[in-house]
Amino acid sequence: MLKAVLIVLGIIIIIACGYGVYHSRLLKAKNNAEMEKYRKGQIVLDKNFGRVLVVYYSKSGNTKKVAEIIKEKTNGDIYEIEIDVNYSNGFVKTAIEARKQTKTKKYPELKNALPDFTAYDLIFIGSPVWSYTVTPPVLSFLQSADLSGKTVVPFAAFEGNAGNFFKDFKDNAGNAKVLDGFTVFSALKENQTALENKITDFLNGIDIL
Ligand SMILES: Cc1cc2nc3c(=O)[nH]c(=O)nc-3n(C[C@H](O)[C@H](O)[C@H](O)COP(=O)(O)O)c2cc1C
């Protein structure tokens, strides 16, 4: 009996792992296909957004990279969301800690004073996708910041599944005017040209009126 249970368990684990690998390859292929058009040439920014602020939280550098490109392209200012107590190392530990904060709505304390939002016409806010939603540090920022009347563009670094990210972002952004956002696949940081082109293409498509 025990042997049979172990065999069934083994088969389930093999199928689950196989599906995981297949799914991540599928996402990579989808991303590659989407990015093909951005790999050559240089897309030029044809918009002026006025005074721009780029806000971001990043644990392993991907969102930071996107934020820095937006800052550079728009000639904006940048503000990094830093938290008092950092997450533990390792995916599982971080996921558990973050999930607890999201569930209880007890978000981490911000380390630095907030910027003066009145000085800006457009605010980009970036976060990695964690467990299909916005990271607690960015939720903490959204809770603390008064963005009433401000136009905000969310963006996210992810591995292919943004889940409820943009809906959750909007639900937590108070009275800000939240425009459509965009995602950047983590693997993209390996291709600077494609990354810059994708971001510039997105920026050109923003309609702030
Ligand atoms: C705790 C945790 C949960 C994650 N959950 C998701 C997810 O639900 N969907 C997804 O596409 N990527 C997920 N990722 C991958 C990150 O979004 C991705 O690696 C991102 O580029 C990290 O950004 P950063 O380098 O700015 O921290 C998760 C990563 C971590 C650490």
Side-chain angles (χ1 to χ4, degrees):
M1 180 63 185
L2 182 67
K3 202 175 162 190
V5 171
L6 286 176
I7 289 172
V8 171
L9 217 64
I11 292 172
I12 291 172
I13 290 169
I14 289 168
I15 291 173
C17 290
Y19 178 75
V21 172
Y22 166 76
H23 191 243
S24 88
R25 284 198 179 161
L26 210 67
L27 289 173
K28 257 198 175 122
K30 194 176 154 217
N31 175 65
N32 269 335
E34 187 204 320
M35 295 315 299
E36 198 49 47
K37 62 178 171 179
Y38 295 125
R39 292 215 167 88
K40 288 189 197 107
Q42 192 195 8
I43 299 177
V44 176
L45 185 68
D46 61 18
K47 285 229 160 108
N48 184 344
F49 298 114
R51 295 157 305 167
V52 167
L53 174 66
V54 186
V55 175
Y56 74 95
Y57 170 74
S58 181
K59 185 160 188 278
S60 56
N62 297 328
T63 316
K64 179 178 183 174
K65 183 146 194 166
V66 178
E68 282 171 347
I69 291 172
I70 300 172
K71 170 200 151 52
E72 206 180 294
K73 300 275 172 196
T74 60
N75 211 7
D77 293 333
I78 199 156
Y79 173 88
E80 180 179 6
I81 298 172
E82 291 183 272
I83 52 175
D84 239 12
V85 182
N86 282 317
Y87 295 97
S88 305
N89 285 329
F91 176 90
V92 176
K93 278 188 183 165
T94 303
I96 291 170
E97 290 166 8
R99 196 156 176 76
K100 194 172 162 200
Q101 293 173 340
T102 308
K103 261 193 147 178
T104 56
K105 292 195 173 27
K106 287 193 176 137
Y107 307 128
E109 294 283 324
L110 303 181
K111 214 166 160 182
N112 302 314
L114 294 173
D116 173 13
F117 301 111
T118 58
Y120 299 101
D121 302 306
L122 185 63
I123 302 170
F124 292 84
I125 302 178
S127 167
V129 176
W130 279 3
S131 304
Y132 315 112
T133 189
V134 183
T135 51
V138 173
L139 291 172
S140 180
F141 173 87
L142 290 175
Q143 207 171 56
S144 319
D146 181 7
L147 297 170
S148 304
K150 288 284 152 194
T151 306
V152 168
V153 180
F155 64 95
F158 76 155
E159 295 291 350
N161 192 341
N164 297 319
F165 183 95
F166 291 105
K167 184 189 175 299
D168 292 345
F169 185 99
K170 210 169 187 164
D171 289 349
N172 283 278
N175 291 323
K177 182 183 174 194
V178 181
L179 303 184
D180 287 346
F182 71 106
T183 49
V184 175
F185 202 81
S186 306
L188 251 188
K189 69 176 181 177
E190 289 150 27
N191 189 326
Q192 186 71 16
T193 304
L195 183 55
E196 288 192 17
N197 278 340
K198 172 166 173 147
I199 291 169
T200 313
D201 196 27
F202 176 80
L203 295 176
N204 284 337
I206 293 177
D207 190 358
I208 45 171
L209 293 178

